[in-house]
Every structure is written in structure tokens, then in C-alpha cells.
Amino acid sequence: MTMAMNIVSEFGRTGFSGFLPKIFPPFGLSFFFFGCYSVFGHILWDAYPRSKTHYTLTKKRTFIATDHPSKGKLLIDRDIDADMTITLKVGPLKSAFFQGARHGFKRIEDGHRIHKLMRKIQKDLS
């Protein structure tokens, strides 16, 4: 962005005027903000909806309730059956996914325990 500002000031000293010098700062700012989002934004954008999400596991169903910033309040509920695919994503905070990798209890502290409970529920149903 500093380079863009230097180019604009150089154009101003040499008598270059018109539309082009006025477009350099907004054009440079767009790249600056895109770079900031690439480094930090996706982390914050992913964390905010998870802070507004509540998970519930019963003996027959799973519930994921989210107060999403742009979509409003959402409730996803699924029956647990013997054919449901349940996977565990291991990391600092584990995730237990079901119905493929689309829905699940994401980045929770007791993900391994939830995964075991869901497997036990499946076993008891069959």
C-alpha cells in the first residue's frame, strides 16, 4: 500500500492528473484487506459461528442449534441409526462428524467421548 501511495504522489509531482491517481488508494486498500482476511479473517469467521452453536446428543437423535450471524437461527437434527456414518477428526479440539463430513459436533473438548457415545448408541440400536 505504501508503494501505491508513493506512485500516486510521484504522479502528482510530475503533473500526471486525472482519474488514475485517484483509483490507486482504493485499489491498494482492496488488496490490503484481502490479505488481512487471508491471514486472520478466516480464523475469526470460523470461530464466531461456533461460539453461537450448541450441541445436544440424546439416545435417538443429535441436535445442532446455531444462531448464525447472516442466516439467523438454525436447527439441524438427525436420527441416529445403525447405518449412519460417524467419523472422528483428531486435532487439538476433536470433531465428531455424522452423515458424511457435512454435519457434526465441531471442535469440542470432549469429541472423543462424544464419538464413543454415538458409536455405543448405534451398537445398541442394531
Side-chain angles (χ1 to χ4, degrees), residues 53-101:
T53 301
H54 301 280
Y55 303 110
T56 304
L57 176 65
T58 68
K59 291 184 179 185
K60 295 182 180 184
R61 299 179 69 81
T62 61
F63 296 93
I64 303 171
T66 305
D67 189 6
H68 198 275
S70 62
K71 298 177 185 175
K73 295 183 180 192
L74 303 171
L75 178 65
I76 298 170
D77 60 320
R78 297 283 185 256
D79 289 328
I80 299 174
D81 57 10
D83 297 329
M84 178 186 280
T85 303
I86 301 170
T87 58
L88 177 68
K89 182 179 177 186
V90 179
L93 293 173
K94 296 172 181 60
S95 300
F97 288 102
F98 47 90
Q99 299 294 79

